[in-house]
Amino acid sequence: MHVSEQLAAYALGCLDETEAAQVAEHLASCDQCQAELQGYLEVTGCLALAARQATPEAWVKRRVIQRIEPTLRARVAPAQPAWRVALAGLFRRTAPAWGMAALALIVVLGVGNVWLWRQAHPKASGGAEMMVVAMVPVATLPTVQGRLVISSDGEYGSLVVENLPVPDEAHVYQVWLTEGSEQISGGLLAVNDHGYGVLEILAPEPLMSYGTFSVTLEPAGGSAQPTGAVVLEGSP
Amino acid sequence: MTSQQILSDESLMAQIARGQQAALSELYDRYSRLVFGLAQHATGDPGSAEEITQDVFVRAWERAGQYRPEQGTVRTWLASIARHRSIDQLRRQGARAEAQSVSWDEAEEGPSSMVAGSNTQLEAELAMLRSEVRAAIAQLPEEQKQALALAYFRGHTQDEIAVALGVPLGTVKTRIRLAMDKLRVALADQA
């Protein structure tokens, strides 16, 4: 059988190893077969659509987010724009005089983050005012500042913090959403070397429906329920 | 919201590669039903399908930087990961003995329930393409559909399909090739 007659099976992945190797070798030097293979690959790509679509349980998405959170620190912290880091340094050096300006900047950054989120979520409505929740630090961390910015429909929120002590490798900050006696994780909050961090909050219910938002220090990887002391807390 | 403001799948992948968690959330909202449906159909087990769905989007997060648009759409990239992950799962479970039970689901679907963050226009385009794919498969002779399903959903080689169906290897090769040729013509410019 000529190689061209095996391209369909090759695209489907149903040749045995020897046949597949022969086809691959031929493809490396045959533009015509490469072009023909592309057509079969596109067919294979469409076949997934023949399976009946089904909606996974909501916890599946939450679990995906939990699984990627340990990598957020590595990705987010080094990616802080230089100007943002520089500004953070400026505010630290001049904290008493510039305290209000720093707070304003935090709110602006939070709003910007929510705006970016809403760019990726076309269903988010506009019009009504966004809510800003002041996150109050514990007395032992008086320089810590935090604001939670919630979109007007309550679906999306972004927490921005500054001056949080950088945790050691064995610990991580975790955000909690409290509704009555139930507390659920809002995600792990990574901070850079300057104690600056931003976290988009994911929650199964609109953020407005939660009574309290808090941040605790938890073992690396996060906890199912809060185990560490609260370092920041706020209520809508 | 106008269509011009909708982020493309490729833009979402670029954002995911930069560590934007919100972009992954949006990608999940767009394609979790496709991924979960495919995994559930291939494995026949909702629990396995839930695990596979997680793995697909975690892998998308980890490998977004390696995605190349010229090699295929984001949808086909995700579906390919889901398919291969499903086949791996079946092999681990030793479920290949049930190979003959797999088939193409030709029943029409009702209106899909939209998930938060998903997009009506994208969902409509996907539904139209899905309808065309199903119609094309429905036109195939039963024996070609059967061979194609064993190859696609079970990951069987042509030799294994011949054994499973009790027909000569040459017959299986012909059925696969004819089926793919017909689908290629029917779905031209649709991928």
Side-chain angles (χ1 to χ4, degrees), chain B residues 21-130:
Chain B
Q21 181 178 308
L24 181 70
S25 175
E26 174 65 17
L27 190 74
Y28 182 96
D29 288 344
R30 288 183 187 181
Y31 294 115
S32 59
R33 298 184 76 248
L34 171 73
V35 168
F36 180 68
L38 172 59
Q40 186 166 250
H41 189 93
T43 64
D45 175 29
S48 294
E50 288 167 344
E51 290 297 320
I52 291 165
T53 301
Q54 289 180 44
D55 291 347
V56 168
F57 287 97
V58 169
R59 186 169 296 189
W61 172 261
E62 294 170 342
R63 301 189 179 181
Q66 298 171 21
Y67 168 73
R68 296 289 177 270
E70 60 271 21
Q71 294 175 349
T73 64
V74 174
R75 168 176 56 76
T76 57
W77 185 67
L78 292 171
S80 176
I81 297 172
R83 178 195 172 208
H84 288 103
R85 182 69 182 76
S86 298
I87 292 170
D88 289 344
Q89 180 79 3
L90 284 169
R91 287 175 178 160
R92 274 200 300 274
Q93 294 175 344
R96 290 161 71 87
E98 300 175 34
Q100 285 170 291
S101 65
V102 71
S103 62
W104 296 96
D105 187 354
E106 294 171 15
E108 282 298 319
E109 289 184 54
S112 65
S113 56
M114 300 293 288
V115 292
S118 64
N119 180 274
T120 304
Q121 180 182 334
L122 293 174
E123 186 75 13
E125 291 172 358
L126 210 53
M128 185 178 298
L129 180 55
R130 186 181 308 131

Side-chain angles (χ1 to χ4, degrees), chain A residues 66-85:
Chain A
Q66 287 172 353
R67 285 176 61 179
I68 68 167
E69 276 173 344
T71 67
L72 282 175
R73 179 190 176 100
R75 288 202 194 186
V76 173
Q80 287 300 324
W83 64 268
R84 196 175 284 186
V85 175

Side-chain angles (χ1 to χ4, degrees), chain B residues 146-163:
Chain B
Q146 195 176 27
L148 197 63
L150 288 171
Y152 185 75
F153 290 118
R154 296 290 193 247
H156 277 10
T157 64
Q158 294 178 124
D159 290 301
E160 292 169 331
I161 295 170
V163 171

Side-chain angles (χ1 to χ4, degrees), chain A residues 91-111:
Chain A
F91 289 129
R92 262 196 316 284
R93 287 191 298 274
T94 59
W98 288 81
M100 292 305 293
L103 273 176
L105 177 67
I106 284 177
V107 171
V108 168
L109 293 175
V111 169

